[in-house]
Amino acid sequence: MKKLPRLLSLLPLGALALAALLPSGRAQTPAPAATPAPAPAAPPAKVDASAPLAKKDTGAFLAKHESFLARAKAGPIGLLFLGDSITEGWAKAPHIFEHYYGKFQPANFGIGGDTTQNVLWRIEHGELDGLAPKVLVLMLGTNNSGSHTAAEIAAADRKIIALIRAKLPATKILLLAIFPRGERKNRDGTIDTGVEKTAVINAVNADLARLDDGATIRYLDLTAKFLGDDGKLHLNIMPDRLHPNAAGYQLWAESMQKLLAEMMK
């Protein structure tokens, strides 16, 4: 019995040792797992400049397309303009359009914002079917100049011309150099100097000039008509540095008149 106190005196030490060996009774909150950084968003895939593509908008594009199909069915077209907003903009100067082209039973198939892809889609969806214009005036590519190379744009224009030749074998093509453009404000408020796009446009025009065969395809470059001696755009004829105003369309008509008259014979 004398040994009991000694055993009892040893219990606290044993209990402490045992407690040190056993896991704590307190709940341990695990360290939160590291959240992986989100992967950078992939840039949107660039659409091939030669791939037909309908514009995704509020329906204005398709409405215009349907109106062109209706115009084709309404009666003969002797002179057809095909392009983007610069072509569509003849509506700003209807008196000029009528004065120069009214006698040719003209039609304007220009849609604002159109790229080469959009016009390819329109052609493949019937806009030239059943037509037989004497001349088709084509200018296209400025809306691709910020997203495609000159070689890509020129290749797309060549594809469009090949489609026109296939659908309208008797029609002559008056191929216009893409008009010059200058400094413009982007939608996000930043400034686009237009320098890079101008370089692309100039290269496209140099490529397209080689398509002039002196007969069925004629090339006409009106760039110098819109520039001053300092090489800058005349703001009194192209105030937003991209689209001609009525005075600009007058200049366009005057500068194109001689060659067009020859082709319309």
Side-chain angles (χ1 to χ4, degrees):
M1 297 299 294
K2 291 182 180 180
K3 294 181 179 180
L4 184 58
R6 178 174 176 77
L7 291 173
L8 292 174
S9 66
L10 295 177
L11 282 176
L13 293 176
L16 290 174
L18 183 60
L21 294 176
L22 293 176
S24 170
R26 294 180 181 178
Q28 299 294 324
T29 302
T35 303
K46 184 171 78 171
V47 179
D48 185 347
S50 296
L53 181 69
K55 214 159 30 229
K56 295 179 180 179
D57 57 15
T58 58
F61 173 81
L62 293 179
K64 282 276 189 181
H65 169 64
E66 291 296 328
S67 74
F68 298 157
L69 297 180
R71 171 65 184 89
K73 294 177 181 178
I77 295 174
L79 173 62
L80 178 61
F81 288 77
L82 180 63
D84 50 37
S85 59
I86 297 173
T87 296
E88 183 183 19
W90 277 107
K92 301 176 192 174
H95 59 294
I96 299 173
F97 191 82
E98 177 62 26
H99 173 75
Y100 282 91
Y101 313 123
K103 59 186 176 183
F104 299 131
Q105 297 175 304
N108 184 340
F109 286 7
I111 297 181
D114 262 17
T115 60
T116 53
Q117 303 99 302
N118 302 143
V119 172
L120 281 164
W121 184 93
R122 293 201 275 137
I123 293 174
E124 292 193 356
H125 286 77
E127 287 193 9
L128 301 184
D129 294 357
L131 301 183
K134 186 79 171 180
V135 174
L136 185 150
V137 179
L138 174 68
M139 178 172 56
L140 191 66
T142 196
N143 292 323
N144 293 84
S145 61
S147 55
H148 294 92
T149 66
E152 291 169 337
I153 299 169
D157 277 339
R158 287 171 179 267
K159 181 176 179 179
I160 289 169
I161 291 168
L163 281 173
I164 295 170
R165 301 295 299 129
K167 287 181 174 288
L168 307 174
T171 297
K172 298 175 184 177
I173 299 173
L174 176 45
L175 177 60
L176 296 178
I178 302 170
F179 282 2
R181 58 187 297 157
E183 181 178 290
R184 286 171 57 81
K185 182 178 290 187
N186 296 317
R187 292 181 179 179
D188 62 2
T190 59
I191 299 298
D192 176 5
T193 63
V195 173
E196 292 182 2
K197 291 179 180 178
T198 294
V200 170
I201 288 170
N202 290 342
V204 173
N205 290 342
D207 189 312
L208 297 181
R210 294 194 287 268
L211 295 178
D212 190 324
D213 61 10
T216 58
I217 301 176
R218 301 302 310 275
Y219 173 81
L220 182 62
D221 189 344
L222 302 179
T223 299
K225 300 291 184 180
F226 293 98
L227 302 178
D229 293 336
D230 58 358
K232 296 182 179 180
L233 287 168
H234 286 298
L235 297 186
N236 60 330
I237 58 176
M238 201 176 280
D240 70 350
R241 299 177 176 86
L242 178 60
H243 301 93
N245 56 15
Y249 283 98
Q250 177 69 39
L251 179 61
W252 179 355
E254 292 173 355
S255 303
M256 190 172 72
Q257 180 62 15
K258 182 179 178 181
L259 179 56
L260 179 61
E262 293 176 3
M263 297 177 72
M264 290 298 299
K265 291 179 180 178

